[in-house]
Amino acid sequence: MPLPCPKKQDKVVWIPSPSGSFLIVQTLKHLNLHLPSPSWTHLVWFKNSVPKYSFTLWVAIQQKLPILNRRCTSHINATICYLCNSHLESHDHIFFQCDYTKPLWSFIQSRCGIHIHPNSWQYLITWASHHWRNNNGFYSNSVAKLALSSLVYNIWMERNRRIFKKNFLSQNALLQQVLDRIRQKLLSSQLTDSLSSRRIIEEWELPASVIRPPAKPPDSN
Ligand SMILES: [Zn+2]
């Protein structure tokens, strides 16, 4: 082992950083390097995702929304679902078993061509993680992810609005709000011309101008 050079001063080096200096960004990269991404990451973060929808979905997938089933396990007073006023609140209930949200899911599922009947939040996430992963039918998968995140966000907002603002939306009004927000996002996107994008235009009643015109071939002159 070489002896320290007596003429040079010792200095601290942060090995994860190429410069040797401590940088938070380099440290985070170093820490994340060894953490496998969850299989559902692509459901939350994808091209054209809406950050506030993604954040709510991210928390919901981990079953960390501050709702009743969590409080029950802590032996704190249980809360009746604010959407139907007849069952205890839980992730499975609020998103799948609640009489208020069930018709919304059915409509969105049929609009997105989802022909399964998930009976739990975990089942849906596992199914979607597997089936919406690949790039086949890229637009269809992206729209389905957008619809999932938009619905979860808007259901959660409706629940909070009822608690904190004593403001109630009917099922039809909430569904219309979800559909409008999905359409607004799609309208701000530029789709390339394909069978998949044309089907989306038809299903979501979008103008044909959403499709980006094909690139002009390079001038041969
Ligand atoms: Zn309910």
Side-chain angles (χ1 to χ4, degrees), residues 21-213:
S21 304
F22 175 78
L23 294 171
I24 287 180
V25 65
Q26 294 295 345
T27 305
L28 287 175
K29 278 183 184 173
H30 176 71
L31 292 173
N32 286 336
L33 204 60
H34 307 293
L35 295 176
S37 295
S39 60
W40 44 260
T41 302
H42 67 96
L43 296 182
V44 178
W45 313 110
F46 55 93
K47 190 180 178 186
N48 290 329
S49 60
V50 179
K52 62 183 180 182
Y53 297 174
S54 294
F55 178 76
T56 305
L57 182 60
W58 177 62
V59 179
I61 287 177
Q62 298 174 85
Q63 305 214 22
K64 298 292 186 188
L65 290 173
I67 59 182
L68 260 289
N69 57 348
R70 296 186 66 213
R71 291 186 212 163
C72 287
T73 57
S74 306
H75 304 288
I76 300 175
N77 291 340
T79 301
I80 297 295
C81 172
Y82 293 95
L83 300 172
C84 68
N85 292 316
S86 59
H87 292 87
L88 289 182
E89 218 183 25
S90 71
H91 284 80
D92 280 342
H93 173 78
I94 199 173
F95 293 125
F96 286 101
Q97 297 156 1
C98 182
D99 288 341
Y100 179 86
T101 56
K102 264 196 283 191
L104 310 184
W105 279 103
S106 297
F107 187 94
I108 292 294
Q109 279 190 223
S110 108
R111 180 65 71 92
C112 293
I114 302 169
H115 304 296
I116 60 165
H117 300 286
N119 56 6
S120 75
W121 178 236
Q122 191 55 50
Y123 179 89
L124 175 71
I125 297 305
T126 304
W127 181 90
S129 299
H130 178 70
H131 286 83
W132 297 346
R133 174 178 291 282
N134 63 34
N135 289 328
N136 295 333
F138 170 73
Y139 289 129
S140 304
N141 287 349
S142 290
V143 174
K145 292 175 193 178
L146 178 63
L148 171 68
S149 61
S150 176
L151 186 54
V152 166
Y153 172 82
N154 282 287
I155 287 174
W156 184 243
M157 287 299 108
E158 172 61 16
R159 179 261 191 196
N160 291 341
R161 192 163 38 237
R162 291 179 179 217
I163 298 172
F164 301 113
K165 294 188 176 177
K166 310 298 177 197
N167 221 340
F168 294 70
L169 281 183
S170 68
Q171 286 169 314
N172 283 343
L174 186 64
L175 178 60
Q176 197 54 52
Q177 182 174 289
V178 171
L179 297 177
D180 286 346
R181 288 178 174 177
I182 294 171
R183 291 185 75 250
Q184 281 167 12
K185 185 61 189 175
L186 292 174
L187 281 169
S188 68
S189 309
Q190 283 272 287
L191 309 180
T192 51
D193 196 3
S194 70
L195 201 59
S196 175
S197 54
R198 289 186 176 278
R199 195 166 61 235
I200 287 168
I201 282 181
E202 193 177 322
E203 287 168 350
W204 293 90
E205 300 167 2
L206 301 171
S209 57
V210 174
I211 291 186
R212 183 170 45 208

